[in-house]
């Protein structure tokens, strides 16, 4: 089992610090992804021991320009028990994050910008119901 990783997009302080404290307590490795790094593939960030290096390499190659404009988290390597506990803890602490996803075999090849767009479409669809 891969160790759990949480990608954090477009989150300001003090919310980001509170989320990272939850991660520390639950042994989840948080990775903050800059707003301008939305085109870095999710799987590269979740599987790298040095995601900062991945982001800098993407910037060097020109793949960093995708913009993230809303808070979003992507969970990778979470088993069912950890997922349930993590989401419950977020609710208990009032850390409401509208855009959440679990890394899958399909979306690990997507970048943050693509995943955010899909999550926004899903949210709009649910709101229409």
């Amino acid at each position: 089992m891969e160790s759990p990783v949480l990608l954090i997009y477009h989150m300001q302080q003090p919310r980001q610090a509170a989320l990272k404290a939850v991660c520390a307590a639950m042994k989840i490795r948080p990775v903050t992804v800059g707003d301008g790094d939305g085109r870095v593939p999710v799987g590269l960030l979740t599987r790298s021991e040095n995601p900062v290096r991945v982001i800098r390499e993407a910037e060097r190659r020109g793949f960093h320009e995708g913009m993230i404009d809303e808070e979003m988290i992507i969970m990778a390597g979470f088993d069912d028990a950890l997922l349930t506990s993590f989401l419950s803890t977020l609710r208990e602490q009032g850390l409401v994050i509208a855009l959440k996803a679990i890394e899958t075999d399909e979306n690990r090849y997507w970048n943050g910008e693509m995943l955010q767009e899909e999550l926004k479409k899903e949210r709009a669809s649910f709101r229409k119901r």
Side-chain angles (χ1 to χ4, degrees), residues 27-80:
K27 297 184 177 20
I28 298 166
R29 183 170 55 109
V31 175
T32 303
V33 183
D35 289 350
D37 295 318
R39 291 208 179 133
V40 178
V42 167
L44 284 179
L45 296 172
T46 60
R47 282 163 178 66
S48 174
E49 289 299 317
N50 189 346
V52 172
R53 181 184 297 155
V54 170
I55 290 169
R56 296 305 151 244
E57 180 63 18
E59 288 173 353
R60 189 180 73 71
R61 292 179 180 209
F63 294 124
H64 69 287
E65 297 174 3
M67 291 303 295
I68 302 296
D69 62 3
E70 188 174 341
E71 286 184 347
M72 177 175 70
I73 58 173
I74 302 172
M75 299 160 277
F78 283 52
D79 62 21
D80 290 342

Side-chain angles (χ1 to χ4, degrees), residues 61-127:
R61 292 179 180 209
F63 294 124
H64 69 287
E65 297 174 3
M67 291 303 295
I68 302 296
D69 62 3
E70 188 174 341
E71 286 184 347
M72 177 175 70
I73 58 173
I74 302 172
M75 299 160 277
F78 283 52
D79 62 21
D80 290 342
L82 179 60
L83 178 63
T84 299
S85 179
F86 178 72
L87 294 175
S88 293
T89 301
L90 293 185
R91 277 191 299 277
E92 290 166 6
Q93 294 198 10
L95 286 168
V96 177
I97 303 164
L99 302 180
K100 295 182 281 300
I102 296 173
E103 182 189 57
T104 65
D105 288 338
E106 181 179 328
N107 71 19
R108 81 174 30 121
Y109 300 103
W110 298 9
N111 61 45
E113 188 178 52
M114 293 164 64
L115 195 47
Q116 182 184 58
E117 183 179 323
E118 185 64 26
L119 290 172
K120 285 180 176 182
K121 285 178 188 174
E122 287 177 10
R123 179 177 58 192
S125 175
F126 284 122
R127 286 183 176 169

Side-chain angles (χ1 to χ4, degrees), residues 10-22:
H10 196 72
M11 187 171 291
Q12 304 301 313
Q13 300 295 352
R15 287 173 55 78
Q16 188 177 126
L19 181 58
K20 286 184 174 184
V22 170

